[in-house]
Amino acid sequence: MIDGPAFGTWAARTLGDCPAHHRGGCAGRDLAALAVLAAVRAARPARVTVPVREGRLRLPGLGTVSGLGETPEALVVVEAPAGAEGVPGTSAGSCRVRVLTAAGEHVLPRDPSRPGHGWQPVAVLDARHRGLTLRLPLETAAPELPALETASAGPAAWQDLLRQAWELLVDNHPRRAEELAAGLNGIVPLPAPARGVASATSRHAFGTVLTSWPADPERLALTLLHEFQHSKLSALTDLVTLYEPGGRPRLYAPWRPDPRPPGGLLQGIYAHLGDLAFWQERSGSRHGPAQADAAWRLAQTRAHVERGLTEAASHVRLTALGTRFLERLARTVRDGSRGGTGAGGGSGGERLARAVARVQAGDEAVWRLRWAAADDAGTERLAALWRAGRPAGPLPAEDVRAATGAVAGPGPEFGRWAARQRGAERARPAREAADAVLAAPDRAQGWAELAAAAAEEDRPGADVLRTRTELVRDLCVRLTARQAAMPPGTTSPGPPDSLAPAAWPADPAVGPDPSGGGPAVDAARPPGTAPPGPPDPLALAAWPAGTAVGTDRPGAGPAAGEEEAVERAPQARGAHPARGPGRVGRGEPPEAGPAPGPPAGDGLAVPAESGSAQAPMEPARSPGPDPAADEGPVAPAPPGPGEGPTAGAEPGGDGAPGQKTGVSMSQNARSPLAKTSATG
């Protein structure tokens, strides 16, 4: 019973809920239901009082008694004949089980695995192929689960789907199939999301997969591979420490719509290695449109893993074991990429890589617009330097806000744009995208297109456009507002800016009035140069890199003749394990600029662990029981104006499991590994 799907999650909930025991809500009371399971399997007489909720008595591993009315509890009597022997791991036996309430008595069938009046048993799914057997309970009676309707996908449908998925796994992934046969412990069906598949893993229930109805064998096979990766890493992190406190608390994970904690990022990377192997095989064994789809998903998955590795190497304080772990993951991805992507070589493979890179860059830019915020004083200082035609210096510090409540999925506009990239030869021209952004700076979709175009054209500052999108946008907005406030007919900055930091007059680099113009600013400009023109996002992005601050549009930025030396701290970039010799960077270098303000919110609302299998179609998420490491539940919600893609979710730490949704794509233009990725 302790090894089953329900015990670990019960124990974790009890540890967290115990302060509520005096209110009668302590999860510890649910131990009674587990005790009934132990008594039946051991064929031992017992009398156990079990809580009743919403008229249902749930007995994990056995089944659910319904129709009990408003009674708060029931007495379960297990009667076993003398000398009877239990059958470990099964619910069959010679016991007679009676459920007594004030309203009457329910007697379970002699074989509890058979349905009866008011009794829905926990079905046991059985799949056999080429000598390998997978036997899993379809756990529908755990007390923490919502009431599930199984009419549309009952035990018979699950049995048939599992049989087909098992054949696919044994034939094409025999080593992984052996792992699953030894380690999987049960399937917990989740409510279906609006679209796609919701899946999760609880770190407290090794080998238990929570998933909504997958609809096809391929998706179920992928879900089992993905979620068991989470179980394996959760077991490993119970034994060893892979990272230490002190890195960034909230990180970018391209397969998730929300910021992830360090443990969640590592979980996602490891889980997607299972997806990578799956799509590698599918892209080589399919033909026609199915092969093209598998090649696309393989490319997405690889790019997601590569970007995740870069993020972890840059911002997670890895231990020595964590460094070894990350380097081995990078080696695995490199070795897999040598086997080909399934897209074929030549122009077809290059076009696929470009398309994935475009979507990756756009996705990351929109994510940053949603979650990241630059230090306000530092941003204003940059705006003043731009107006004075000075070098940028260190970029302001950034803060990634915490997710609270439901997280919206990617908006339809971004989804349509991302879908178009699969068939596009090239991105929209960067100059055209920049003009569109200036016309509507609050439109997140425009920034996605600009980041993708700048990366594809290898524009100076393309990295800044993708990894500090919020900063470039804020600068554009500030500078545009400043220009709009200038008196008609003037060609130089107007009166001093009331938003300029109070400490600014003491800054010798710019002079006493950097934001307002006037003699100090004009005198600081090199002779013969014109005052700044309208802000241009391409020029603004190239500016911090020390590139000449001119632009390909006349009069669109600070004077191109500026030659003053740029002294600044380089952008902190952790060494990536796949970039060649050298070890993964440990920790995160201090970031230049003003200290960030307090993070918004009071912590991640989504659980810090758990994952959701990537599915061929965009999945959506719904809350569930208790997820495990890579992701947190993210319920789909309509995106707000200017919000970035927030698709899909995987279950998270010690909260309710979430679901994965959507193909969240993002790519590091300088990713050490490759350029592709899979949905979360």
Side-chain angles (χ1 to χ4, degrees), residues 56-78:
R56 286 180 168 87
L57 174 69
R58 295 176 180 272
L59 302 173
L62 290 174
T64 303
V65 181
S66 57
L68 298 183
E70 299 296 324
T71 182
E73 59 187 24
L75 176 65
V76 179
V77 179
V78 180

Side-chain angles (χ1 to χ4, degrees), residues 267-361:
Q267 276 280 352
I269 294 169
Y270 188 66
H272 279 82
L273 285 186
D275 301 12
L276 199 61
F278 182 86
W279 291 118
Q280 181 89 46
E281 185 280 327
R282 300 309 278 170
S283 66
S285 62
R286 291 173 150 198
H287 303 282
Q291 189 277 336
D293 182 73
W296 172 263
R297 298 188 187 286
L298 173 63
Q300 287 179 329
T301 305
R302 182 174 290 117
H304 278 170
V305 173
E306 291 169 2
R307 182 63 182 89
L309 286 168
T310 302
E311 185 82 350
S314 301
H315 303 308
V316 178
R317 293 182 59 85
L318 298 166
T319 63
L321 283 175
T323 299
R324 285 176 53 195
F325 178 70
L326 211 65
E327 288 172 342
R328 181 57 183 268
L329 296 184
R331 242 188 350 262
T332 300
V333 176
R334 283 200 309 270
D335 293 346
S337 65
R338 293 191 190 109
T341 65
S347 60
E350 294 170 3
R351 179 176 173 179
L352 174 63
R354 287 200 309 269
V356 170
R358 285 195 296 269
V359 179
Q360 288 256 92

Side-chain angles (χ1 to χ4, degrees), residues 179-600:
E179 287 184 7
L180 297 176
L184 279 185
N185 211 10
I187 292 178
V188 176
L190 294 178
R195 60 174 181 166
V197 174
S199 70
T201 306
S202 170
R203 63 169 299 184
H204 305 295
F206 180 86
T208 298
V209 173
L210 300 86
T211 179
S212 60
W213 175 244
D216 65 72
E218 182 178 79
R219 187 170 296 190
L220 177 57
L222 179 59
T223 298
L224 296 179
L225 285 176
H226 182 102
E227 299 303 340
F228 192 59
Q229 290 283 101
H230 286 306
S231 281
K232 289 192 292 182
L233 187 53
S234 293
L236 176 67
T237 53
D238 278 344
L239 303 175
V240 300
T241 300
L242 298 180
Y243 65 95
E244 301 165 344
R248 288 191 185 179
R250 292 178 284 274
L251 303 169
Y252 173 65
W255 51 86
R256 289 282 303 203
D258 51 341
R260 303 305 301 140
L265 178 63
L266 294 179
Q267 276 280 352
I269 294 169
Y270 188 66
H272 279 82
L273 285 186
D275 301 12
L276 199 61
F278 182 86
W279 291 118
Q280 181 89 46
E281 185 280 327
R282 300 309 278 170
S283 66
S285 62
R286 291 173 150 198
H287 303 282
Q291 189 277 336
D293 182 73
W296 172 263
R297 298 188 187 286
L298 173 63
Q300 287 179 329
T301 305
R302 182 174 290 117
H304 278 170
V305 173
E306 291 169 2
R307 182 63 182 89
L309 286 168
T310 302
E311 185 82 350
S314 301
H315 303 308
V316 178
R317 293 182 59 85
L318 298 166
T319 63
L321 283 175
T323 299
R324 285 176 53 195
F325 178 70
L326 211 65
E327 288 172 342
R328 181 57 183 268
L329 296 184
R331 242 188 350 262
T332 300
V333 176
R334 283 200 309 270
D335 293 346
S337 65
R338 293 191 190 109
T341 65
S347 60
E350 294 170 3
R351 179 176 173 179
L352 174 63
R354 287 200 309 269
V356 170
R358 285 195 296 269
V359 179
Q360 288 256 92
D363 179 73
E364 185 165 359
V366 178
W367 184 93
R368 294 201 62 84
L369 290 178
R370 163 127 198 196
W371 298 108
D375 175 74
D376 192 65
T379 305
E380 180 57 35
R381 183 177 189 280
L382 268 188
L385 287 169
W386 171 270
R387 289 191 290 264
R390 294 284 185 171
L395 296 184
E398 61 178 304
D399 173 49
V400 175
R401 296 184 292 270
T404 56
V407 176
E413 186 182 24
F414 181 85
R416 288 191 293 269
W417 174 80
R420 287 197 301 271
Q421 302 315 301
R422 293 183 66 164
E425 287 289 348
R426 297 196 65 80
R428 182 183 193 180
R431 176 69 268 147
E432 183 182 319
D435 291 340
V437 157
L438 287 175
D442 290 329
R443 182 172 171 260
Q445 179 57 41
W447 288 100
E449 295 191 31
L450 178 59
E456 188 161 40
E457 295 179 14
D458 199 21
R459 290 266 184 161
D463 276 358
V464 175
L465 270 171
R466 189 188 68 255
T467 62
R468 295 303 304 271
T469 319
E470 78 291 349
L471 177 62
V472 181
R473 182 194 60 181
D474 288 355
L475 281 171
C476 273
V477 170
R478 288 171 188 263
L479 293 169
T480 301
R482 181 79 177 90
Q483 295 245 335
M486 288 169 54
T490 59
T491 57
S492 61
D497 189 343
S498 62
L499 294 178
W504 187 269
D507 190 334
V510 179
D513 187 18
S515 61
V521 170
D522 290 336
R525 253 185 228 110
T529 60
D536 175 60
L538 288 172
L540 281 171
W543 180 43
T547 307
V549 287
T551 173
D552 55 3
R553 188 181 60 194
E562 177 66 63
E563 294 180 356
E564 182 165 350
V566 178
E567 298 244 9
R568 75 183 185 291
Q571 283 289 92
R573 288 183 182 276
H576 192 285
R579 284 187 184 266
R583 297 179 64 77
V584 175
R586 296 181 59 185
E588 174 180 343
E591 188 160 358

